[in-house]
Amino acid sequence: MKDVALITLHGMGKVDWEYHRELEYGLKRDLGSAWDRVSFKVVHYAYFLQQPQDLLWERMLRDTDNELDATRLRKFLLFGFGDAAALEYSARQPGPNTKYLQVQREIQAVLRQAYLELGRDHRKPVVIIAQSLGCQVISSYLWDAGTGKYSFENMAGIGADEREFLRLRSLRNLVTTGCNIPIFTSGLDRPTCFDRPNPQFQWDNYYDEDDVLGWPVNQLGDTYHFVKDHPINTGNLLTSWNPLSHTGYWGDRDLLRPLADVLRQRINMPT
């Protein structure tokens, strides 16, 4: 029986299936035997987006009359920002099996696994850590959970306790790293955050000043007033001073230490 669930969401682009390992190893080291009380689950949402991107990239290289310049940058933009564009576009398309709904159902499938390991107790705390585009993905999920949209429109056949868990009513901590939500909301007159799922909910956002894809969130407006932004210096000697710092958050001690403390608090252990 586990005491707390820790759920991870990756960022944009072509994602390593083992993207979570550095974070997992760091937390295991810090928590020791207490790690056994954590239900650790991993969301892979890029799975639904990568195949059509790979096929398009192959066609671009094969069928374009003139050779493309800056192919590494083009590939990064296609795979990275293509994820965000595809999810945003598909959210506005009709049908029961859009990319947007597939991603939501994947999150729910992972949450169901955690729910079982928590002994089907919908009151046990959930902690979520999301990187880069994953921050926007989980923000959208929380918005839809609160408003009853998309995958939450019809939850017939699901028990009341499990529905509450899937709606993340017991989410106590959201930790975001390299968050690019401001990029997606900057053109809105009044960006609006999802409603806090419970009064104990806390949102800590970590960003590196050299990371052009990672931003503070509190400044988005009044509805984001409760977000605590934490500037940290991520990466190593080669990456900490440039945009590659975007890839260094989950192995950084300035993130791992407070996240381990959060987990200890949620399993009622001294920090």
Side-chain angles (χ1 to χ4, degrees):
M1 192 76 68
K2 307 293 185 179
D3 295 314
V4 58
L6 175 62
I7 313 295
T8 70
L9 286 91
H10 59 71
M12 62 177 62
K14 194 162 188 174
V15 178
D16 186 339
W17 197 257
E18 303 290 307
Y19 76 88
H20 57 282
R21 291 303 182 193
E22 190 173 24
L23 176 78
E24 182 181 6
Y25 294 151
L27 290 174
K28 279 183 176 179
R29 179 183 61 239
D30 286 357
L31 290 174
S33 61
W35 179 253
D36 295 335
R37 298 166 69 177
V38 179
S39 174
F40 181 65
K41 300 300 175 188
V42 179
V43 175
H44 291 95
Y45 65 84
Y47 169 82
F48 303 103
L49 305 167
Q50 193 59 54
Q51 184 179 16
Q53 291 174 347
D54 285 337
L55 292 174
L56 176 58
W57 180 247
E58 291 172 6
R59 290 199 303 272
M60 288 290 182
L61 295 182
R62 184 183 64 242
D63 300 337
T64 304
D65 292 336
N66 297 313
E67 185 175 345
L68 295 173
D69 292 330
T71 53
R72 291 185 64 182
L73 178 58
R74 285 178 181 271
K75 190 174 184 180
F76 168 76
L77 293 173
L78 182 68
F79 288 180
F81 287 94
D83 289 347
L87 289 176
E88 183 70 16
Y89 178 80
S90 69
R92 287 157 175 75
Q93 301 305 303
N97 203 34
T98 65
K99 298 291 184 182
Y100 188 86
L101 281 170
Q102 287 176 332
V103 169
Q104 284 203 345
R105 293 187 191 115
E106 179 64 17
I107 295 172
Q108 290 177 350
V110 170
L111 285 172
R112 284 192 173 96
Q113 296 170 19
Y115 181 63
L116 294 176
E117 291 191 1
L118 295 175
R120 300 178 184 269
D121 188 343
H122 69 285
R123 299 163 298 181
K124 284 188 176 180
V126 176
V127 177
I128 291 179
I129 178 168
Q131 160 72 3
S132 186
L133 179 61
C135 307
Q136 173 71 9
V137 170
I138 196 60
S139 175
S140 297
Y141 183 93
L142 284 162
W143 179 277
D144 295 337
T147 57
K149 299 292 183 62
Y150 293 101
S151 61
F152 300 95
E153 290 179 350
N154 183 6
M155 303 191 79
I158 302 175
D161 288 351
E162 186 174 357
R163 284 202 305 269
E164 289 295 284
F165 191 79
L166 294 178
R167 287 181 172 132
L168 290 174
R169 299 297 194 228
S170 66
L171 179 63
R172 294 294 184 263
N173 296 85
L174 174 60
V175 178
T176 51
T177 60
C179 180
N180 39 44
I181 288 177
I183 295 176
F184 302 111
T185 60
S186 61
L188 303 178
D189 292 328
R190 293 179 59 84
T192 305
C193 186
F194 53 82
D195 290 334
R196 297 171 72 183
N198 57 73
Q200 294 78 39
F201 174 76
Q202 300 176 29
W203 182 351
D204 290 280
N205 177 56
Y206 293 83
Y207 70 97
D208 190 308
E209 294 175 351
D210 297 307
D211 175 14
V212 297
L213 293 174
W215 294 74
V217 174
N218 183 273
Q219 294 90 336
L220 282 173
D222 293 342
T223 62
Y224 291 86
H225 69 91
F226 61 91
V227 183
K228 295 181 180 178
D229 290 316
H230 306 274
I232 61 175
N233 186 31
T234 69
N236 54 39
L237 290 175
L238 297 177
T239 63
S240 64
W241 50 273
N242 61 54
L244 290 176
S245 58
H246 188 67
T247 64
Y249 290 97
W250 285 14
D252 195 279
R253 299 301 301 160
D254 288 338
L255 171 74
L256 288 170
R257 279 192 296 263
L259 182 54
D261 286 344
V262 162
L263 293 171
R264 290 190 189 96
Q265 292 169 5
R266 297 311 172 201
I267 56 180
N268 298 314
M269 294 182 65
T271 58

